[in-house]
């Protein structure tokens, strides 16, 4: 099946620093990528949807200036958490969807962010 | 009402048991439905899609009742390896800007030897 990678898998950083997470589709072109966040014992919550070459669409309550998303190519999307704070500590998961009406998302392995 | 609501669990069952998970969704216009499993500290993985006619994959059977907005998953002859959190997932649209997966909170299953 399709493979999506994420890097890094784990980040521990100090409060106030910015953290960049990369999401790559390895064997298909992802017209759409999604970024989710999951707090402990909670469901995955969609943060934003990004389409290659256009601005991301953010879900209600997600600050676009804090969570910068770039989808520069059909195989790469990045999420930058700017000026991270302890409340941003979470499991961030990306997923990718191919074109042609394919109704399947392929998830990356996730990035666990801990902000001290 | 939450968009996708699941049994809160957790479920603890012995090996070989049959276990059923229930899920309801609020958006009657939802187009497609799935069950995912998520292991601890890992990403969710697609277990199976759910069709109106019901579908089976080995020990797993999924059912969808559009009139009641209800989805179920039945696991027969449960194995230790079935221990995971089971996520009910609903897609509100078929394509374009309507495509959005909404996840339930999940139900934790532990299968005991």
């Amino acid at each position: 099946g399709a493979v999506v990678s994420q890097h890094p898998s784990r980040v521990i950083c100090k409060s106030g620093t910015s953290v960049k997470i990369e999401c790559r589709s390895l064997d298909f072109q992802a017209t759409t990528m999604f970024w989710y966040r999951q707090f402990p014992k909670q469901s995955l919550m969609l943060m934003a949807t990004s389409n290659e070459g256009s601005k991301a669409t953010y879900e209600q309550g997600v600050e676009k200036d804090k969570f910068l998303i770039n989808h520069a190519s059909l195989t790469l999307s990045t999420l930058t958490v700017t000026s991270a704070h302890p409340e941003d500590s979470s499991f961030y998961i990306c997923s990718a969807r191919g074109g042609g009406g394919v109704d399947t998302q392929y998830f990356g392995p996730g990035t666990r962010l801990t902000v001290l | 009402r939450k968009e996708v609501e699941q049994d809160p669990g957790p479920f603890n069952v012995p090996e070989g048991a049959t276990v059923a998970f229930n899920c309801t969704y609020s958006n009657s216009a939802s187009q497609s439905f799935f069950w995912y499993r998520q292991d601890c500290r890992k990403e969710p993985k697609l277990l199976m899609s759910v069709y109106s006619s019901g579908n089976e994959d080995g020990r797993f059977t999924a059912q969808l009742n559009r009139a009641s907005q209800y989805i179920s998953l039945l696991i027969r002859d449960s194995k230790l390896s079935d221990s995971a959190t089971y996520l009910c997932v609903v897609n509100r649209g078929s394509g374009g800007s309507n495509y959005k997966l909404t996840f339930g909170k999940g139900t934790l299953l532990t299968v005991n030897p």
Side-chain angles (χ1 to χ4, degrees):
Chain A
V3 178
V4 175
S5 70
Q6 252 181 271
H7 178 79
S9 58
R10 186 169 182 177
V11 181
I12 300 173
C13 68
K14 292 182 179 179
S15 186
T17 57
S18 292
V19 175
K20 181 188 271 190
I21 303 169
E22 289 187 352
C23 177
R24 293 180 185 273
S25 57
L26 298 183
D27 52 0
F28 70 104
Q29 292 186 326
T31 52
T32 308
M33 286 185 168
F34 304 87
W35 287 96
Y36 295 85
R37 180 168 54 180
Q38 186 178 32
F39 293 107
K41 299 188 188 299
Q42 300 296 316
S43 58
L44 270 77
M45 296 299 295
L46 180 65
M47 298 175 68
T49 302
S50 76
N51 293 294
E52 185 263 339
S54 61
K55 288 185 179 179
T57 303
Y58 289 80
E59 294 297 302
Q60 194 171 16
V62 178
E63 298 175 58
K64 62 180 172 64
D65 294 329
K66 181 168 180 65
F67 299 99
L68 302 177
I69 291 171
N70 185 290
H71 191 162
S73 77
L74 284 171
T75 59
L76 173 65
S77 176
T78 60
L79 167 69
T80 300
V81 183
T82 61
S83 186
H85 287 95
E87 59 266 28
D88 298 322
S89 298
S90 187
F91 191 44
Y92 291 85
I93 307 174
C94 74
S95 71
R97 179 174 178 239
V102 174
D103 195 19
T104 302
Q105 283 188 25
Y106 300 96
F107 286 84
T111 297
R112 193 159 299 280
L113 172 63
T114 303
V115 185
L116 303 176
Chain B
R1 183 182 174 186
K2 290 181 183 174
E3 282 192 68
V4 179
E5 202 146 5
Q6 294 185 239
D7 286 330
F11 286 20
N12 282 280
V13 302
E15 266 187 294
T18 296
V19 60
F21 300 118
N22 301 313
C23 171
T24 57
Y25 59 96
S26 61
N27 185 348
S28 59
S30 298
Q31 295 289 319
S32 49
F33 310 89
F34 311 90
W35 283 101
Y36 279 71
R37 68 170 278 168
Q38 186 176 23
D39 293 291
C40 188
R41 303 173 84 84
K42 299 282 188 184
E43 77 277 22
K45 293 188 175 172
L46 180 64
L47 181 64
M48 58 198 301
S49 301
V50 189
Y51 304 112
S52 297
S53 54
N55 48 301
E56 189 174 306
D57 182 2
R59 298 180 293 109
F60 300 84
T61 302
Q63 296 275 356
L64 166 66
N65 184 322
R66 284 189 182 267
S68 305
Q69 295 176 209
Y70 169 85
I71 307 161
S72 67
L73 175 68
L74 186 77
I75 305 176
R76 291 183 300 279
D77 188 25
S78 52
K79 312 288 184 193
L80 296 177
S81 57
D82 293 334
S83 297
T85 296
Y86 288 82
L87 306 170
C88 177
V89 183
V90 173
N91 177 20
R92 71 179 177 194
S94 56
S97 60
N98 283 329
Y99 183 93
K100 176 185 173 182
L101 295 187
T102 301
F103 287 77
K105 199 172 174 180
T107 305
L108 176 63
L109 170 67
T110 302
V111 181
N112 302 301

